[in-house]
Amino acid sequence: MIVPIDELMSRLKPFLSKELVGEEELGHVNAVARLLPEVSGGFCFECRMEAGAPRVDYMVCCMRTDGGPQALADALEKTREQLTGPLWDGVRAFSRQWVDPASPLARVPVLWLEYDVEGPTANPKPFAFACVQPEFGQKPPGSRRETGATVDESLQLTWRALEAFQGAPVRPAIARTVSRCFEQLPDFAEVEHVASLACRGSDAVRMIIGMPREEVGGYLERIGWPGSRAQVEELTKTWLNYLHFAEVNLDVGETVGPTIGLALPFPEKPHEPWAKEFLQRMVDLGLCTPEKREAILQWPGRERVPLTGHRWPSNLCRTIGAKLVVRPDAPVSVKVYPYFECRFSLWSDV
């Protein structure tokens, strides 16, 4: 469902602690969010958790369902003179194919646009992620490879999306490394999202890969990650032992980059013991302030409200996720992602 961003921002503000998103940072995010004034999925903030790290980045979700591709294409056309440069040209090229039912990219279910919000800007650099699993969100992770969403289809969607974003095919040396990441997938694993790292000044590719937690160390070793398998296996055992399925963020160029991210979705009720233990470990290790921990615990929830232009009330859902950032020979750092999503519902308990 298409919802004005201003209305969603006004709805979330009473629940958003200044410990997570300060007034100045929220103002910067608001200005960026209004550049594409409607969303078809939801949006989230990227918050640093350590003391003295106020910067907040912004991510918006565009979904294939409920007219998301057309809404994005219309917004990009209206802002053609404002949002300029090769990165926006790439998002527009992707969008043109996304709305075309004859294009393979019409199979992409979700597009994320992330912005690094370091201060006021009228022309932010988009970091565009395409989901290359056509049935993403419809079936449990790991089961989609058995129901038609094959590795080959995901790889072909990867090439098409990256070519649209970059305006050119992926360089052969990088394509070989990306292909290896697909070839070495363990059972029940899948490449979920891909993005060009051009917005960070690199021709490498960001890949988000879901797999059974116990497979992470072996997989990273097989694809040539330069870090320590023992280190990452200890981290997954310590931090992710409550999960069966883990998401790994990789930067893939001619070789696999040294920095990885390990994603952790929180339950909708984060006072569950394992989530509280995770947050307390962050505080104990100095990765998070006690005030930010409490803000995280207070964020999740939902309200059933009427929205402008919609006949039936909607559920506004507040969820949260975290990501461990792992760098060889460096301390782990943590980011959290307060997510705000609008879900259609006729009933209050849906």
Side-chain angles (χ1 to χ4, degrees):
M1 58 192 303
I2 308 299
V3 183
I5 193 71
D6 275 346
E7 183 163 8
L8 290 182
M9 285 286 186
S10 67
R11 295 281 186 179
L12 76 80
K13 195 168 182 181
F15 305 99
L16 188 61
S17 168
K18 293 178 183 179
E19 293 293 339
L20 287 179
V21 182
E23 287 288 346
E24 183 178 4
E25 287 71 32
L26 183 59
H28 295 159
V29 166
N30 262 317
V32 169
R34 290 191 179 100
L35 296 172
L36 298 178
E38 295 181 324
V39 298
S40 61
F43 60 87
C44 71
F45 306 100
E46 182 183 73
C47 305
R48 282 78 175 161
M49 303 311 296
E50 63 269 23
R55 177 177 152 184
V56 176
D57 295 332
Y58 172 72
M59 302 172 67
V60 62
C61 177
C62 308
M63 300 182 69
R64 182 178 61 199
T65 55
D66 297 327
Q70 190 62 56
L72 176 64
D74 292 344
L76 290 171
E77 183 60 33
K78 292 176 183 176
T79 55
R80 181 173 292 277
E81 294 184 2
Q82 183 177 5
L83 302 177
T84 60
L87 297 174
W88 283 111
D89 291 343
V91 175
R92 288 188 176 92
F94 177 92
S95 179
R96 287 193 295 271
Q97 296 184 58
W98 204 22
V99 298
D100 179 1
S103 168
L105 290 183
R107 293 272 286 158
V108 170
V110 181
L111 175 73
W112 281 94
L113 293 176
E114 177 180 348
Y115 308 103
D116 294 339
V117 187
E118 300 182 66
T121 178
N123 187 27
K125 295 179 180 180
F127 191 8
F129 291 78
C131 179
V132 294
Q133 287 293 327
E135 295 181 320
F136 188 82
Q138 301 176 35
K139 293 182 172 62
S143 69
R144 292 182 286 265
R145 286 179 62 181
E146 302 173 357
T147 57
T150 64
V151 171
D152 183 64
E153 181 180 19
S154 295
L155 183 58
Q156 294 310 310
L157 286 176
T158 293
W159 301 139
R160 292 294 294 263
L162 292 173
E163 183 171 354
F165 292 147
Q166 298 175 169
V170 177
R171 285 201 297 112
I174 296 175
R176 286 192 290 272
T177 314
V178 171
S179 295
R180 184 166 75 245
C181 291
F182 274 89
E183 292 162 1
Q184 295 297 327
L185 289 171
D187 290 342
F188 305 107
E190 56 195 26
V191 177
E192 297 176 350
H193 295 78
V194 298
S196 167
L197 280 162
C199 67
R200 307 278 172 87
S202 170
D203 59 358
V205 175
R206 172 70 55 87
M207 302 178 70
I208 301 178
I209 305 173
M211 68 187 72
R213 176 180 55 81
E214 64 273 12
E215 299 283 356
V216 171
Y219 175 74
L220 291 174
E221 186 174 67
R222 290 195 302 276
I223 64 172
W225 179 59
S228 162
R229 174 175 177 174
Q231 178 202 21
V232 80
E233 287 182 340
E234 179 62 28
L235 286 170
T236 56
K237 186 167 101 174
T238 302
W239 290 89
L240 309 184
N241 60 319
Y242 305 99
L243 296 178
H244 169 65
F245 206 73
E247 285 186 339
V248 183
N249 290 234
L250 299 172
D251 291 345
V252 178
E254 295 185 9
T255 59
V256 177
T259 300
I260 64 171
L262 299 172
L264 174 68
F266 276 31
E268 292 198 15
K269 297 180 180 179
H271 286 275
E272 290 184 12
W274 73 263
K276 292 182 72 174
E277 180 181 331
F278 176 92
L279 293 170
Q280 187 58 47
R281 184 181 297 120
M282 287 168 52
V283 173
D284 292 343
L285 293 175
L287 305 177
C288 173
T289 67
E291 294 79 12
K292 290 185 177 183
R293 175 196 58 197
E294 293 307 307
I296 294 169
L297 290 171
Q298 296 304 315
W299 169 255
R302 63 174 61 194
E303 295 76 41
R304 189 167 183 258
V305 300
L307 294 174
T308 303
H310 294 274
R311 181 179 178 185
W312 301 104
S314 301
N315 276 328
L316 298 185
C317 303
R318 290 171 280 116
T319 56
I320 202 160
K323 182 171 72 176
L324 303 177
V325 181
V326 182
R327 300 176 179 87
D329 303 318
V332 170
S333 62
V334 182
K335 298 177 180 179
V336 299
Y337 299 84
Y339 181 60
F340 197 60
E341 178 185 11
C342 182
R343 301 175 188 170
F344 171 77
S345 176
L346 287 176
W347 313 109
S348 60
D349 60 346
V350 175

